[in-house]
Amino acid sequence: MKLAIVTAYPPSKVTLTEYGYHLVKHFRLQDEVSEIVLLTDVTKAPKDVSFEEEGCPITVKECWSFNDIKNLYKVAKAIKKEKPDAVLFNLQFLKFGDKKIPAALGLLLPFVCKMMRIPTISLLHNILEQVDLENAGITQNGFLQKIYNFIGTTLTHFVLASDVLAVTISKYKTILEDKYKANNVALVPHGSFETPPAPKYDLPEGPMQVMAFGKFGTYKKIEPMIEAVEMLRYKSGLDIEIVIAGTDSPNTPGYLEGMKEIYSHVENLRFTGYVAEEDVPKIFGDSAVVVFPYTSTTGSSGVLHQAGSYGKAVVLPDLGDLGILVREEGYRGEFFEPENVESLATALESILTNENYRIHLGKENYKAACSLPMSKITEMYLDHFNAIQSKKGLKQPKAHKLQRIEKTSIA
């Protein structure tokens, strides 16, 4: 199978970049995949396609850019030229831009693939019915929210033109089937990016690191986390370092710089900036606990799966998709009330003052992560592709394993 994957990809800063990387990393190891065509966004630095394991060839086609109104044409042109046996879209509603027109046009691509009669699966990480438009930094205006919801409903119909629409949370599947009367929605769990050898669970010398990871400023607010640690330091005398690992959300440029200035008086507060893929293990490995300072959620959490992969205790709000995900996939953590500094400080204290409990949570989360590795997730996608091809009466090409990497750019 010659598989085209449409996704943002490192060193891109566009959303779902990390997930795209791990999809490619694990699809290339599947015997059924003879070649991967990576249809990705244009970046100044080269794409990170150097993998240790021997796998199928990867052809990189940089054919779209964030907020480019021509993305629909450019990606469709690349797909037509490459003639893949199947296409997988790694999507969310602001995948192709945070401006209305390019964002909307990009989501027409699954419908275009249907017109091309190419077997297509769209992985949709969030659905508009479950997105808090105000907290996500999209709009606070009630009238505009109604317009966005109407547009979102229309675009969802176009994404549902895929042969299979995959979602990572069971609630999404129920909503889509009930509202859109869809019969092509499949639940495919998010999966864990890596399943390293069982962690040792010990911590490096020095202060205990309390870490948050991601893109901050919309529904990920670090103020309560910083203030909760300050409260806990005063109460307990614990030696704690606050680590903010990541960058601004595209919707809130300058947020972290503002936080640096506001909290410049806080000791042991570290902002790492962008974390390269090779530095992720150390960021998580050195942490005593991973905090999810969310005010709302917009889909399954890659950070939770990463924390589980490295055997980390987590502190998180019991709200929306995050609460569902924890219960469905077997993760464990201490819950706190969203934006409640005292509640967050109490949750942190219960872990940081009890090493046995911290280790217990880490082991449970590692166990949950190991149950759904990305290798299993990619197999599930291939099963769906095989079913689509069988239904369409398409033949499967023979797989072979080579190591070849090409890169071209489509203007």
Side-chain angles (χ1 to χ4, degrees), residues 127-402:
I127 60 175
L128 205 62
E129 288 78 3
Q130 291 297 106
V131 174
D132 185 324
L133 295 175
E134 182 175 346
N135 274 324
I138 297 174
T139 181
Q140 298 180 6
N141 185 292
F143 177 71
L144 287 178
Q145 288 180 14
K146 291 181 180 179
I147 293 176
Y148 272 105
N149 284 322
F150 172 76
I151 295 172
T153 298
T154 303
L155 291 174
T156 300
H157 280 292
F158 280 102
V159 179
L160 278 164
S162 313
D163 292 289
V164 172
L165 175 60
V167 292
T168 59
I169 297 176
S170 61
K171 185 177 180 180
Y172 291 2
K173 185 174 186 292
T174 301
I175 291 172
L176 292 171
E177 289 175 340
D178 290 346
K179 179 176 179 178
Y180 298 90
K181 309 305 177 186
N183 59 7
N184 63 331
V185 183
L187 175 62
V188 181
H190 182 284
S192 299
F193 291 162
E194 301 289 355
T195 50
K200 296 180 180 179
Y201 301 103
D202 55 346
L203 299 175
E205 293 185 6
M208 290 183 288
Q209 295 182 21
V210 173
M211 188 267 285
F213 187 94
K215 292 181 172 65
F216 301 96
T218 52
Y219 63 95
K220 298 181 182 180
K221 301 283 190 180
I222 64 172
E223 297 98 309
M225 173 180 166
I226 295 172
E227 291 167 15
V229 171
E230 284 281 79
M231 181 182 292
L232 182 55
R233 284 171 174 168
Y234 179 80
K235 176 183 177 182
S236 67
L238 289 171
D239 189 10
I240 304 171
E241 180 182 21
I242 307 167
V243 181
I244 309 299
T247 60
D248 294 326
S249 165
N251 290 331
T252 52
Y255 170 76
L256 289 179
E257 281 299 322
M259 292 299 101
K260 287 180 187 179
E261 186 173 339
I262 291 172
Y263 293 104
S264 59
H265 64 282
V266 175
E267 296 181 358
N268 276 353
L269 171 59
R270 175 160 58 99
F271 294 81
T272 70
Y274 173 73
V275 181
E277 194 66 38
E278 62 270 19
D279 297 326
V280 169
K282 181 170 175 56
I283 285 288
F284 278 91
D286 289 348
S287 301
V289 61
V290 179
V291 179
F292 294 74
Y294 298 177
T295 59
S296 66
T297 58
T298 60
S300 187
S301 172
V303 179
L304 177 61
H305 293 86
Q306 285 178 297
S309 296
Y310 296 105
K312 293 298 162 181
V314 299
V315 171
L316 64 172
D318 187 6
L319 51 74
D321 305 331
L322 200 55
I324 295 172
L325 181 66
V326 168
R327 292 173 176 84
E328 287 188 346
E329 298 190 9
Y331 288 89
R332 294 284 307 280
E334 276 290 312
F335 287 110
F336 67 93
E337 297 175 18
E339 301 184 85
N340 187 317
V341 173
E342 186 174 354
S343 175
L344 177 50
T346 300
L348 286 169
E349 183 179 20
S350 67
I351 294 175
L352 296 178
T353 59
N354 188 335
E355 184 176 8
N356 289 334
Y357 184 47
R358 176 183 66 81
I359 292 173
H360 169 71
L361 290 177
K363 287 181 176 180
E364 289 296 305
N365 290 337
Y366 179 72
K367 180 181 176 182
C370 288
S371 69
L372 286 169
M374 285 297 289
S375 56
K376 285 188 178 181
I377 302 306
T378 51
E379 287 176 4
M380 293 176 70
Y381 281 113
L382 289 175
D383 287 342
H384 283 295
F385 275 125
N386 288 335
I388 295 166
Q389 291 180 322
S390 177
K391 184 177 180 180
K392 292 176 179 288
L394 300 173
K395 293 182 179 180
Q396 288 276 17
K398 291 184 179 180
H400 60 279
K401 288 203 168 210
L402 296 171

